Amino acid sequence: MARRGSWAIPGPGPRAALPLVLLLLVGFAAPLLAILDYSFMPPRTFSLTGEPTLENYVTIFQSTSYLSFLWSLALATVTVAVLALTCYPISYGLVRVFGRWATVLTLLFTIPLFVSENVRLYGWVLFFIKNGVLLGALKTYLGIEFDSWLFTSSATVFGMIYVYLPFMLFPMTLGIAMVPNETRDAAFDLGASRWQVFREVELPLSMPGIVIGFLLTFVLAVGAIAEAKVLGGQAIIPVTHDIEIAFTYAQNWPLGAALSVLLMLVVGALVLLVLRRFDLDTILGRR
Amino acid sequence: MTSASVILELRGIRKDFGALAAVDGIDLAIAEGEFFTIVGPSGSGKTTLLRMLAGMEQPSSGDILLRGRRINDLPANRRPTCMVFQSLALFPHRTVGENIEFSLKIRGVSKVERRQRAHGLMRLLRLPEELYGKNVTKCSGGERQRVALARALAYDPEILFFDEPLSAIDYKLRKTLEKELKDIHRETGKTFVYITHSLEEAMVMSDRIGVMRQGRLVQVGTPNEIYVTPNNKFVSEFIGDVNVFPVEVAGPGRLRSSAIAGEFTAPKLPSGFSKGHLVIRPEYLRFLADPSGAENSLKGRLYNEYALGSRFQYQVRVGDQVFVVEKLRQQAYGGRLDDDVVIGWDARDSILVTD
């Protein structure tokens, strides 16, 4: 007997959303829960039903893992900072200065995304390596020899800036494009200098795009691993590398899971902090 | 107008965009304290002209003089003028108070004084005091208009420019704000230069009107002059419904038309007039019971009638030509549709214009 009550058939909205909810539960929430579970399992076990323990976390706090955490956060911070400073002028140009050329430039920024990240990074290796494209050419044609810049921490940062540039550039461009021309004109007309127009109107009104660019690149950069491996030559060990080692060579899934959980907590806390400081709705004046 | 009272003078102002002349040579003098409105259809160059006056565009040639001083090269932020934009261009991330105080803050006016000025302006514009700390995006359409005006007035400009700020507002509120704007103009005594595509809106508010077409001013005059003596067909057709048909001189004081059979008594002929258009406003046409005494009359058929509130409008077909007749409600025509009717007018109520 079908009874109407607290278990009544839901409306068309929830019913239509159901497949997506199931997909997210199975494909997104379940693996995260599995990781969370693993992080409390005894070291070097492969069962999700063992006796829960905090041993993995204790191990991490007693080890030097915090160093790789710091490295990852530092690399991501430097990447975001450099990207912010380089992308803002480019975005500004794309929206306000370059005119018809903006389309061409946007395309040039987009096309590399169609090539695998690893392939592009190895491309840079060929470019910078001793006797490679750059140094080889200098040696052959000018007779000058330099040491290769590869396999240093700055090469890692370079790789990350290169890979994550579009993820800062495009949200920023959107943010700047959202500032209406008449609003800028109005501020200028009311006596503001170019700099005051920028500070009082353009920057705050393009903030949503900038914040989204910051978050996107930061989260991606904290999770980066290939740049440090390929261009950095493991001069730096980011936490993602530790996680990979734990899951592969070390065959210590619970330790890797605990590291992953800690990383998610740190990044999540930072993101929440930023979102609280820059409430997107308030910036847009929706509240 | 004596030269001492001229606040803004335009001498041969042009603006070319490639081969296209958006503004094609404009000479104009606007008096201190005047409410001057530039009217024109979209694409007539009126917004480009206003942006040049405000300093947001550079004229290709010609001079802009403010109290006799050439200000062509003075950028907008250093001109003692201020603009109310079509979109209002309020700062959405700021409160009503911060919007109004923007120019004062830029000038480094103290917080206390800023607040005082803002509250004074809010009183002048009848903005409730509690709006001061409210985000400007939470305000109603009418409130936003007033905030935009208050923000411009806070700058204490010598001239206020308006770029169709009322165009996106519903009819009733627009009518209220038009009158309010005229009141504010009286109260502040500032020079207002207003742009609109609606001659009706211009008539309500302005001391003088300039009608613009294809980058040129085709007529400048008081609202009454523009309405009663338009100097060409374009101006005559710009306000409301009007009856216009081509005519040429048929003899002394007589006109004939290629569109309508018969001859008409001409109003006073402009010198050198040989052919052009005869303009008759719909309120000057009468239904005639007995056509014998009328100066001009036409036989037609009553095709349709429209209730316009205080007035009735009738469409009368004379051959292929449609005539529009308007009567006050109390003087409504009592006939039926498809009646044969005779309409007539006095020669002095018609206007001869050239193209």
Side-chain angles (χ1 to χ4, degrees), chain B residues 1 12 26 35 46 52 63 67 71 81 91 102 125 129 138 168 179 193 221 234 253 274 346:
Chain B
M1 204 186 311
I26 287 199
F35 197 135
K46 56 188 192 304
M52 287 194 282
D63 285 328
R67 297 189 198 285
I71 55 163
T81 60
F91 306 128
F102 184 83
L125 292 165
E129 205 167 312
K138 296 290 165 299
K179 287 180 186 148
V193 179
F234 176 78
S274 66
D346 292 339

Side-chain angles (χ1 to χ4, degrees), chain B residues 56-289:
Chain B
M56 282 166 243
E57 300 266 3
Q58 284 274 328
S60 306
S61 63
D63 285 328
I64 304 168
L65 291 92
L66 184 77
R67 297 189 198 285
R69 193 166 68 98
R70 187 174 174 277
I71 55 163
N72 284 31
D73 306 318
L74 213 57
N77 61 349
R78 291 178 47 211
R79 288 191 191 188
T81 60
C82 200
M83 174 115 107
V84 177
F85 288 81
Q86 183 161 25
S87 67
L88 302 183
L90 293 170
F91 306 128
H93 55 307
R94 298 272 190 260
T95 63
V96 167
E98 287 167 338
N99 265 277
I100 297 173
E101 292 171 13
F102 184 83
S103 62
L104 303 171
K105 193 179 158 198
I106 293 288
R107 280 185 211 167
V109 175
S110 78
K111 209 168 182 176
V112 182
E113 202 179 323
R114 285 195 325 238
R115 220 186 142 92
Q116 232 168 7
R117 285 271 293 152
H119 278 297
L121 285 164
M122 287 174 75
R123 267 194 302 281
L124 175 71
L125 292 165
R126 279 178 268 154
L127 279 163
E129 205 167 312
E130 59 268 23
L131 279 187
Y132 182 86
K134 207 171 159 187
N135 189 291
V136 75
T137 50
K138 296 290 165 299
C139 294
S140 72
E143 286 166 354
R144 272 188 237 188
Q145 293 280 339
R146 294 185 183 103
V147 173
L149 184 54
R151 186 179 70 174
L153 283 169
Y155 185 71
D156 198 20
E158 296 189 30
I159 306 176
L160 259 128
F161 298 116
F162 296 85
D163 183 12
E164 299 204 43
L166 302 182
S167 62
I169 294 193
D170 65 84
Y171 182 82
K172 196 161 174 259
L173 181 59
R174 192 167 71 230
K175 290 289 146 201
T176 313
L177 290 172
E178 280 171 7
K179 287 180 186 148
E180 258 185 52
L181 202 55
K182 195 169 182 176
D183 296 345
I184 297 294
H185 174 247
R186 277 211 57 172
E187 256 162 89
T188 58
K190 291 196 182 294
T191 309
F192 281 23
V193 179
Y194 195 97
I195 272 190
T196 176
H197 59 266
S198 159
L199 190 52
E200 212 185 325
E201 191 173 308
M203 294 252 169
V204 175
M205 299 186 291
S206 320
D207 297 322
R208 278 196 308 154
I209 294 171
V211 182
M212 214 170 155
R213 182 196 194 187
Q214 290 171 358
R216 291 163 189 267
L217 276 175
V218 287
Q219 188 171 4
V220 177
T222 63
N224 198 47
E225 283 165 1
I226 299 278
Y227 189 80
V228 179
T229 53
N231 66 6
N232 67 38
K233 184 164 170 264
F234 176 78
V235 176
S236 72
E237 283 177 325
F238 213 78
I239 184 164
D241 295 297
V242 71
N243 301 295
V244 182
F245 54 94
V247 289
E248 55 190 51
V249 174
R254 301 295 290 168
L255 300 168
R256 70 167 163 259
S257 171
S258 56
I260 304 160
E263 283 196 358
F264 312 105
T265 311
K268 193 168 157 280
L269 285 179
S271 60
F273 183 92
S274 66
K275 63 190 285 191
H277 285 84
L278 193 67
V279 178
I280 310 159
R281 299 262 175 221
E283 65 271 25
Y284 288 128
L285 280 174
R286 295 188 302 267
F287 289 104
L288 302 174

Side-chain angles (χ1 to χ4, degrees), chain A residues 210-231:
Chain A
I210 297 172
V211 171
I212 290 168
F214 272 39
L215 291 179
L216 207 57
T217 41
F218 185 80
V219 170
L220 286 170
V222 164
I225 184 163
E227 293 79 9
K229 261 191 192 168
V230 177
L231 287 174

Side-chain angles (χ1 to χ4, degrees), chain A residues 1-279:
Chain A
M1 275 291 285
R3 259 188 328 127
R4 292 195 68 82
S6 56
W7 284 100
I9 295 168
R15 265 184 286 156
L18 196 61
L20 194 63
V21 170
L22 287 177
L23 182 74
L24 284 176
L25 282 178
V26 173
F28 183 75
L32 280 182
L33 287 174
I35 290 284
L36 191 64
D37 190 348
Y38 260 123
S39 73
F40 293 107
M41 291 297 111
R44 297 195 172 74
T45 56
F46 295 95
S47 159
L48 276 168
T49 53
E51 184 77 16
T53 166
L54 286 172
E55 213 181 324
N56 304 304
Y57 291 99
V58 174
T59 312
I60 292 168
F61 284 111
Q62 283 171 349
S63 74
T64 53
S65 286
Y66 70 92
L67 277 177
S68 36
F69 264 103
L70 287 180
W71 267 121
S72 282
L73 294 175
L75 282 177
T77 308
V78 172
T79 306
V80 169
V82 174
L83 279 175
L85 293 178
T86 43
C87 286
Y88 200 88
I90 303 175
S91 298
Y92 196 88
L94 285 175
V95 177
R96 305 235 180 266
V97 188
F98 303 150
R100 257 178 301 170
W101 285 94
T103 322
V104 181
L105 284 168
T106 308
L107 216 61
L108 288 177
F109 278 116
T110 320
I111 288 169
L113 291 175
F114 290 96
V115 180
S116 142
E117 183 186 325
N118 279 336
V119 172
R120 281 183 287 144
L121 289 177
Y122 278 110
W124 281 116
V125 171
L126 291 180
F127 187 81
F128 284 124
I129 204 164
K130 199 168 168 61
N131 296 324
V133 177
L134 180 67
L135 298 178
L138 283 176
K139 191 175 162 190
T140 314
Y141 297 110
L142 299 173
I144 324 170
E145 266 192 87
F146 290 103
D147 279 337
S148 175
W149 172 60
L150 273 179
F151 314 131
T152 61
S153 52
S154 47
T156 310
V157 173
F158 169 82
M160 289 171 67
I161 289 166
Y162 165 72
V163 169
Y164 300 120
L165 185 122
F167 300 96
M168 181 69 93
L169 185 71
F170 293 130
M172 258 191 181
T173 307
L174 274 179
I176 294 173
M178 271 167 33
V179 185
N181 272 328
E182 282 202 342
T183 312
R184 302 161 60 234
D185 283 348
F188 189 58
D189 190 44
L190 286 162
S193 63
R194 296 275 174 211
W195 165 248
Q196 284 167 323
V197 173
F198 173 76
R199 205 190 52 200
E200 299 287 335
V201 176
E202 293 194 284
L203 191 62
L205 286 183
S206 54
M207 221 30 166
I210 297 172
V211 171
I212 290 168
F214 272 39
L215 291 179
L216 207 57
T217 41
F218 185 80
V219 170
L220 286 170
V222 164
I225 184 163
E227 293 79 9
K229 261 191 192 168
V230 177
L231 287 174
Q234 302 192 354
I236 297 170
I237 308 291
V239 69
T240 42
H241 188 78
D242 282 355
I243 295 172
E244 196 194 6
I245 296 289
F247 274 104
T248 54
Y249 300 115
Q251 289 290 299
N252 193 350
W253 290 16
L255 182 70
L259 279 170
S260 306
V261 169
L262 284 176
L263 183 61
M264 281 190 281
L265 284 178
V266 170
V267 173
L270 284 173
V271 168
L272 279 179
L273 209 71
V274 171
L275 280 181
R276 183 170 279 187
R277 175 86 179 72
F278 296 98
D279 188 324

